[in-house]
Amino acid sequence: MTNDWKTRTKLVHEGSRRSQYGEMAEAIFLTQGFVYPTAEAAEARFVQPGKDEFIYARYGNPTTRMFEERIAGLEGTEDAFATASGMAAVSGALTSLLRAGDHVVSARALFGSCLYVLEEVLTRFGVRVTFVDGADLDQWRAAVTPGTKAVFFESMSNPTLEMVDIRAVSEIAHAAGALVIVDNVFATPIFSRAVDQGADVIVYSTTKHIDGQGRALGGVVCGTQAFIRKVLEPYMKHTGASMSPFTAWIMLNGMATLDLRCRAMAEAALQIARALDGHPALARVIYPGLESHPQHALAMAQMGAGGTLVTFDIADGKEAAFRFLNALQIAKISNNLGDAKTIATHPATTTHQRLPQDQKDALGITPGLIRLSVGLEDAGDLIADLLGALEA
Ligand SMILES: *Cc1c(COP(=O)(O)O)cnc(C)c1O
């Protein structure tokens, strides 16, 4: 998937396919199956389908394939496989690769469902999992051994926006012969350089920035042709969590504006972080784009920006945090992210409610913590909304 196109050109054109009608917009091929001209052609296609030949929508579809080629082109990987949700992508990438007796090392700060897959599902099938503090390279060095099959982490953690050094962890993993699987949702495909930094497999929930308008669940796994077609595809196509063509069409349309949206969100996020930093009602403001963030230099080297989320801790705890949320006029109380609409989340009582207190403490999920996914509204309006709600 290599050409000389720049990001914005790829986002509009990469992977496009046109039917005999020469339609301008990407067509939605809402078909589960395909008609073969002859019995011989059907037989040949089951042996090895050609580039524009499809068998069944669970295996692949022209609209889904356009999306896979577009994201692979953007990410700089040889290939990609689109899935029904972000969790289908994460669980597919891990489960297709691992078998009983294998060892995985994972960062501890994970999206709740990712933690469930590693802690509850994989271990049930005899996979050994070691959790480490993702920001502590010594812990990675100690945990990764020559028998380790894969490492897994979110390149920027939820909700406390801690960075994992992709390059450094990849060096440790590769020295032991382990595959590096990165959940890159918070970094977005726009600020991602994960392949250049050593990642082997990159996973996105396309529900987030790639759709960007909160309409559809989706996911994608990007990697080498060998991993995507020989390891992942057989597993996905036989277990069933493939992306629907209609969803792929939504994601294709989302990608056309992905660069513009992510950059606008990150600019607004920086303005918001600066406006909130030092506010007397806040115990702290966490944004990797702020010079005060302990991993600011790493964030700039790894992503070139601070991302589209800002997290802050309301000093007076849960009641004050709820008063703040209930006083917001523009930002919505919800738990998605990467949406055009700004979303405020109270992780302790929603996304991370299930975690025992000691784990909340370890992850820095305090009673006053608010995670803000910055949308596409005017940054000045958002700052006024946030400052006004803090007065409450
Ligand atoms: C949302 C999310 C997922 C899961 O994606 P779904 O599309 O909701 O299944 C996985 N990892 C991270 C970091 C996420 O933010």
Side-chain angles (χ1 to χ4, degrees), residues 85-87 90 111 114 154 183 185-186 205 207-208 217-218 337:
S85 69
M87 282 322 302
V90 170
F111 184 74
C114 296
E154 291 170 15
D183 179 337
V185 168
F186 277 49
S205 162
T207 315
K208 312 294 166 56
L217 276 177
L337 61 98

Side-chain angles (χ1 to χ4, degrees), residues 83-87 185 204-220 243 247 251 336-339:
T83 59
S85 69
M87 282 322 302
V185 168
Y204 289 103
S205 162
T206 69
T207 315
K208 312 294 166 56
H209 303 82
I210 294 176
D211 173 353
Q213 287 158 79
R215 300 165 295 194
L217 276 177
V220 70
M243 180 179 277
T247 298
M251 300 307 167
N336 190 23
L337 61 98
D339 196 294

Side-chain angles (χ1 to χ4, degrees), residues 42-345:
E43 182 184 30
R45 204 174 296 183
F46 270 77
V47 173
Q48 179 60 55
K51 177 174 157 28
D52 277 312
E53 293 182 345
F54 300 91
I55 292 172
Y56 193 62
R58 178 152 41 75
Y59 297 19
N61 167 287
T63 312
T64 311
R65 194 70 197 125
M66 284 193 250
F67 170 64
E68 290 168 343
E69 289 187 4
R70 194 164 294 177
I71 185 87
L74 173 66
E75 197 63 31
T77 54
E78 289 172 4
D79 214 336
F81 192 93
T83 59
S85 69
M87 282 322 302
V90 170
S91 61
L94 290 166
T95 315
S96 65
L97 177 73
L98 298 167
R99 57 205 65 223
D102 282 346
H103 180 230
V104 181
V105 181
S106 169
R108 192 176 292 112
L110 293 180
F111 184 74
S113 302
C114 296
L115 192 63
Y116 177 84
V117 168
L118 283 151
E119 227 175 12
E120 308 284 336
V121 180
L122 292 177
T123 52
R124 204 187 293 160
F125 295 96
V127 174
R128 292 172 299 122
V129 185
T130 307
F131 290 101
V132 298
D133 172 351
D136 184 344
L137 293 176
D138 285 335
Q139 289 195 22
W140 285 105
R141 279 187 204 100
V144 174
T145 63
T148 303
K149 187 75 174 275
V151 303
F152 179 77
F153 58 88
E154 291 170 15
S155 55
M156 189 198 273
S157 78
N158 172 25
T160 51
L161 312 183
E162 230 179 52
M163 307 286 305
V164 174
D165 186 335
I166 298 174
R167 193 182 298 281
V169 173
S170 297
E171 275 172 21
I172 295 167
H174 290 156
L179 205 71
V180 178
I181 307 175
V182 182
D183 179 337
N184 219 17
V185 168
F186 277 49
T188 81
I190 295 305
F191 302 123
S192 166
R193 299 164 200 167
V195 169
D196 296 338
Q197 288 153 354
D200 300 300
V201 178
I202 298 132
V203 180
Y204 289 103
S205 162
T206 69
T207 315
K208 312 294 166 56
H209 303 82
I210 294 176
D211 173 353
Q213 287 158 79
R215 300 165 295 194
L217 276 177
V220 70
V221 183
C222 304
T224 60
Q225 199 158 29
F227 180 83
I228 297 296
R229 296 299 151 194
K230 296 280 185 286
V231 179
L232 183 78
E233 185 198 281
Y235 177 86
M236 294 307 305
K237 79 182 188 188
H238 295 305
T239 56
S242 309
M243 180 179 277
S244 89
F246 186 73
T247 298
W249 176 80
I250 291 174
M251 300 307 167
L252 280 163
N253 283 295
M255 285 188 82
T257 56
L258 184 62
D259 186 82
L260 297 168
R261 286 186 287 108
C262 288
R263 288 185 192 284
M265 288 172 173
E267 265 173 41
L270 180 58
Q271 289 181 44
I272 288 167
R274 288 204 172 122
L276 296 182
D277 201 18
H279 190 286
L282 300 177
R284 58 177 179 152
V285 173
I286 308 170
Y287 183 63
L290 284 181
E291 290 75 9
S292 61
H293 190 281
Q295 295 168 303
H296 175 67
L298 174 60
M300 289 300 130
Q302 192 154 295
M303 300 182 1
T308 68
L309 291 108
V310 181
T311 296
F312 45 90
D313 193 2
I314 296 183
D316 285 341
K318 178 181 162 181
E319 276 178 34
F322 276 27
R323 273 202 305 280
F324 165 80
L325 288 169
N326 293 335
L328 290 167
Q329 302 290 314
I330 299 172
K332 301 297 172 229
I333 305 169
S334 191
N335 44 268
N336 190 23
L337 61 98
D339 196 294
K341 300 178 179 76
T342 293
I343 291 171
T345 311

